[in-house]
Amino acid sequence: AQSVAQPEDQVNVAEGNPLTVKCTYSVSGNPYLFWYVQYPNRGLQFLLKYITGDNLVKGSYGFEAEFNKSQTSFHLKKPSALVSDSALYFCAVRDRETGGSYIPTFGRGTSLIVHP
Amino acid sequence: EAGVAQSPRYKIIEKRQSVAFWCNPISGHATLYWYQQILGQGPKLLIQFQNNGVVDDSQLPKDRFSAERLKGVDSTLKIQPAKLEDSAVYLCASSSLLAGGTDTQYFGPGTRLTVL
């Protein structure tokens, strides 16, 4: 079975400061990992994904995430937060070894609030 | 490129009534997903189609939920009869995933269902 934990319901950060949104996962094999962002009354938007290779993945809007296999983590980061980054962020995992089914498991989401 | 279209955006019904949601994926995307997102939770996959065939519907409550994608393009999700606990946002997503690939899913804006 696979699972995702986003330990923080809410993250508060001042504009211009670095931000981190945490995600840890559990899969039986090797993971595919994803980050999505959801703005109010809108669907999820893809930010970035880890498939294989370099542990540091760069994505949209200046976001990046670091895959850490030993800590089973995939934390989302940005060097300098913007007020417009305020949204709900979801981490998702899929087991690479699942064969023909591609059911991803999403975390509960973390609300990011960037203060001016 | 047009995104994933969903309708209606909002629906309010009484319990035991029926409801249907429609989704039109991004042109050329073979794979279509329906998710249920209950307030405060991450999206949960209900069903995945590859063209007009079902890849996985293990998490679909088949006693009341049904979905079809007859021509391999747009799709309909139906609930009959609805229960209070079906109140949620229903998200449709599509991807150009081929078997064994790693998919980036593109989400529609969702349909917010309220069951009274």
Side-chain angles (χ1 to χ4, degrees), chain A residues 32-83:
Chain A
Y32 294 134
L33 293 155
F34 306 83
W35 275 103
Y36 289 85
V37 60
Q38 187 174 35
Y39 297 100
N41 297 316
R42 297 180 66 178
L44 278 71
Q45 296 178 36
F46 170 78
L47 276 180
L48 50 81
K49 65 182 176 184
Y50 171 80
I51 304 300
T52 187
D54 194 346
N55 289 342
L56 183 63
V57 179
K58 294 187 182 297
S60 306
Y61 313 121
F63 284 93
E64 59 188 26
E66 186 167 10
F67 171 62
N68 188 318
K69 188 172 184 178
S70 63
Q71 297 185 6
T72 62
S73 67
F74 190 56
H75 301 331
L76 181 70
K77 300 181 180 183
K78 186 174 182 180
S80 179
L82 300 172
V83 173

Side-chain angles (χ1 to χ4, degrees), chain B residues 4 12 16 31 33 38 44 46 53-54 82 88-89 93 98 100 106:
Chain B
V4 177
I12 300 174
R16 292 187 289 272
T31 306
Y33 311 79
I38 293 173
K44 183 185 84 170
L46 294 176
V54 176
V89 175
L98 298 176
Y106 296 87

Side-chain angles (χ1 to χ4, degrees), chain B residues 60-66 78-81 83 85-86:
Chain B
L60 186 72
K62 299 181 185 64
D63 58 333
R64 298 183 300 105
F65 286 65
S66 64
K78 296 180 181 178
I79 307 175
Q80 181 179 3
K83 293 185 176 182
E85 59 261 36
D86 298 333

Side-chain angles (χ1 to χ4, degrees), chain B residues 28-110:
Chain B
H29 279 191
T31 306
L32 186 148
Y33 311 79
W34 282 103
Y35 288 87
Q36 180 192 58
Q37 185 178 17
I38 293 173
L39 185 65
Q41 298 181 19
K44 183 185 84 170
L45 183 71
L46 294 176
I47 189 168
Q48 177 186 350
F49 291 95
Q50 180 86 18
N51 297 310
N52 61 349
V54 176
V55 175
D56 197 304
D57 62 357
S58 58
Q59 300 187 119
L60 186 72
K62 299 181 185 64
D63 58 333
R64 298 183 300 105
F65 286 65
S66 64
E68 59 184 15
R69 194 185 184 199
L70 294 176
K71 297 183 178 178
V73 181
D74 56 349
S75 175
T76 302
L77 176 70
K78 296 180 181 178
I79 307 175
Q80 181 179 3
K83 293 185 176 182
L84 296 176
E85 59 261 36
D86 298 333
S87 294
V89 175
Y90 291 84
L91 297 167
C92 179
S94 71
S95 75
S96 59
L97 170 72
L98 298 176
T102 57
D103 58 320
T104 295
Q105 297 180 34
Y106 296 87
F107 284 80

